Amino acid sequence: MINALPEKGVPSEQILAELRELRGGDLPTHGGRLFAYVYDPALDGVDDLARVAHATSAHVNGLDPTAFPSLLATENALVAAAATVLHGGPATVGSVTSGGTESLILAVKAARDAHPEIAGPRLVVPATAHAAFAKAAHYLRVELDTVPVKDLRADPVAMAAAITPETVLVAASAPSYAHGVVDPIPELAAIAAERGVRFHVDACFGGWILPYLRRLGADLPDFDLSVPGVTSISVDLHKYAYAPKGVSILLHRDEALRRPQYFAYADWPGYTMINPVISSTRSGGPIAAAFATLRSIGDTGYLELATRTREAVAMLAAAVEATDGVRLYAPPETSVVCLAADGVDLFVLADELAVRGWHTQPQMAYADLPPTIHLTVTAAVRATAADFAPDLTAAVEAARARGPIELPELPSLTPEMITPELIASLAEGLGLAGGDFTQMAMVNSILNAASPALREALLTGFLSFLQRPMTQ
């Protein structure tokens, strides 16, 4: 392990060399072969511009915008851009957050704190809603009502039935992350409005690309602030606006809806704390980088990037449809290709795709939904999409030859039985203790067989196992 605190300072060149060496073990962030975590526009110069812009404002502190008006100006500009793309009106306001999870937590907080008279506030979401809603409910002590979906989309009838007098927020996705389909936002928003409940659209994942896909002719429902009853919406600029991590925007239809989002505290001897978001001190670097990225690409640039993304989605979907052994699990209507396996082990297939340089995101079975492979498609994939079909065919053939994973005899475990010692033993037995995560089919098969609660405990224990300093 590298010593982060040497006795004497280390030369800059050595430090940068060490970081480059460490980065050499990461998955590729560019090149159109990683279908999760990163968003690559494949545009020359944008990364360099964002890095310089980030450095320009890295030490600016968002705690006090009166001290650093440059940050206030760039934040307001980003909010205005998001409001334009998502059809906000003259009264629309918003906040810049560190990412989609923070945006969703704040949307739930604003809804909860708008009703202090409700002792047991509740949040209604479809089962396909992002896990960040569960995190928000957990952090904010709001009861989460998860409603079964119909054909992978929120069911308006079931959602309406779940609303109670204690419901402070109803939320849905545009699109859902797992499958890339858009919930029926107009119907859901109308139901929420009729019941006098706030309605949030989680467009963190696709909110920046859906408007451009619609301009290109995609048959997608209305989903943004143009829909009556939508009171707030979130969109991540570090996704399809292609800004560096981590910048998200949370928009509210008007200032009165946003007001409960703020935290203020003056009852102490220090400065009066006023925070629109969760963080107090915030670096201006990511905000400046996002500002530079948006201005560099521009509206017509984003339309072109959406065109390339749409073409790549069509090519990948066609490859899945033409390959025996896999099938499309969800309609490829946005920027996601979601596939299921027919006759081959899906987790072995994911490993075989990785061997061929395609890094995907396996998704575990849930309720009556089978395990699937998720592909987040970006503009960079357009240049590599033609190579996917033959590699998919070869990966399926290799997975078929290997056969399905045969699970070993596993002890009957409960979440309470997961100890650091057990995790260390499992990691050693599965070949993970040394940090090699290239062959994950057995691990994913074990996790897929576990209950959600046991899976949570296993992965929490494993992450804790990884996140510990080694003795010198």
Side-chain angles (χ1 to χ4, degrees):
M1 185 182 77
I2 296 175
N3 183 5
L5 187 64
E7 181 179 352
K8 294 182 179 180
V10 176
S12 301
E13 296 79 8
Q14 179 181 338
I15 297 169
L16 294 176
E18 291 167 349
L19 289 172
R20 284 191 290 268
E21 183 179 356
L22 290 171
R23 282 282 289 112
D26 293 343
L27 293 179
T29 59
H30 295 69
R33 286 177 169 266
L34 175 55
F35 292 111
Y37 310 120
V38 298
Y39 296 78
D40 178 13
L43 292 177
D44 291 339
V46 172
D47 282 356
D48 292 336
L49 172 65
R51 276 193 289 269
V52 174
H54 189 289
T56 300
S57 298
H59 297 289
V60 171
N61 190 344
L63 177 63
D64 185 352
T66 66
F68 303 102
S70 66
L71 186 58
L72 179 64
T74 47
E75 280 194 293
N76 282 338
L78 292 177
V79 169
T84 298
V85 170
L86 297 171
H87 295 102
T92 298
V93 295
S95 303
V96 179
T97 76
S98 64
T101 294
E102 185 178 3
S103 289
L104 296 185
I105 290 173
L106 289 169
V108 176
K109 179 195 182 299
R112 183 199 67 176
D113 290 0
H115 292 282
E117 76 283 2
I118 297 179
R122 308 187 75 90
L123 164 64
V124 174
V125 299
T128 49
H130 197 280
F133 282 113
K135 185 175 184 178
H138 177 74
Y139 278 13
L140 298 170
R141 297 188 182 277
V142 173
E143 289 296 322
L144 183 67
D145 294 318
T146 302
V147 181
V149 296
K150 187 176 182 180
D151 297 328
L152 301 180
R153 303 177 202 271
D155 180 354
V157 174
M159 293 283 283
I163 298 174
T164 71
E166 290 73 37
T167 301
V168 295
L169 183 66
V170 176
S173 309
S176 63
Y177 179 82
H179 305 113
V181 298
V182 181
D183 286 328
I185 301 301
E187 293 90 334
L188 296 169
I191 291 168
E194 182 182 355
R195 303 287 285 273
V197 178
R198 292 184 182 219
F199 181 73
H200 180 79
V201 176
D202 172 18
C204 292
F205 176 50
W208 199 266
I209 193 172
L210 293 189
Y212 292 99
L213 292 177
R214 295 184 68 184
R215 283 166 60 178
L216 293 170
D219 184 17
L220 297 169
D222 293 337
F223 72 94
D224 54 22
L225 288 169
S226 65
V227 178
V230 172
T231 54
S232 59
I233 187 169
S234 49
V235 57
D236 290 358
L237 301 188
H238 58 227
K239 291 189 169 73
Y240 284 102
Y242 295 106
K245 310 289 185 186
V247 182
S248 177
I249 305 289
L250 172 60
L251 297 176
H252 293 275
R253 185 173 289 277
D254 58 50
E255 188 172 354
L257 289 165
R258 181 178 66 172
R259 188 65 59 83
Q261 173 188 309
Y262 282 72
F263 174 82
Y265 192 78
D267 194 14
W268 75 303
Y271 65 92
T272 299
M273 178 182 283
I274 305 174
N275 299 142
V277 296
I278 294 174
S279 299
S280 292
T281 289
R282 293 183 294 145
S283 169
I287 295 170
F291 174 80
T293 301
L294 265 64
R295 285 187 55 77
S296 174
I297 295 175
D299 182 67
T300 56
Y302 282 116
L303 189 64
E304 172 58 28
L305 291 173
T307 299
R308 294 184 208 167
T309 304
R310 193 181 189 203
E311 291 172 351
V313 166
M315 295 170 72
L316 297 180
V320 174
E321 291 181 310
T323 304
D324 181 38
V326 291
R327 60 187 172 88
L328 289 174
Y329 188 72
E333 63 188 27
T334 56
S335 58
V336 172
V337 175
C338 181
L339 60 103
D342 274 334
V344 298
D345 188 308
L346 181 120
F347 301 121
V348 173
L349 174 61
D351 278 0
E352 290 296 334
L353 284 169
V355 167
R356 290 159 179 79
W358 302 98
H359 306 285
T360 65
Q361 191 169 52
Q363 300 178 142
M364 308 301 162
Y366 170 78
D368 60 344
L369 305 181
T372 55
I373 286 178
H374 168 104
L375 309 179
T376 290
V377 184
T378 64
V381 177
R382 178 60 183 83
T384 62
D387 300 327
F388 184 74
D391 283 347
L392 177 62
T393 299
V396 168
E397 291 174 354
R400 187 175 285 119
R402 282 176 57 181
I405 290 293
E406 295 184 10
L407 289 177
E409 191 74 31
L410 297 173
S412 181
L413 297 175
T414 65
E416 295 75 23
M417 297 168 64
I418 306 304
T419 63
E421 294 75 20
L422 176 61
I423 290 294
S425 175
L426 287 172
E428 183 69 32
L430 292 169
L432 303 177
D436 181 3
F437 310 129
T438 57
Q439 295 294 309
M440 298 295 289
M442 176 64 77
V443 176
N444 286 327
S445 296
I446 291 172
L447 293 172
N448 187 63
S451 68
L454 180 56
R455 192 185 309 157
E456 292 166 2
L458 287 167
L459 287 174
T460 298
F462 180 62
L463 188 58
S464 181
F465 171 79
L466 294 177
Q467 293 179 327
R468 54 178 182 166
M470 306 300 289
T471 55
Q472 295 295 312

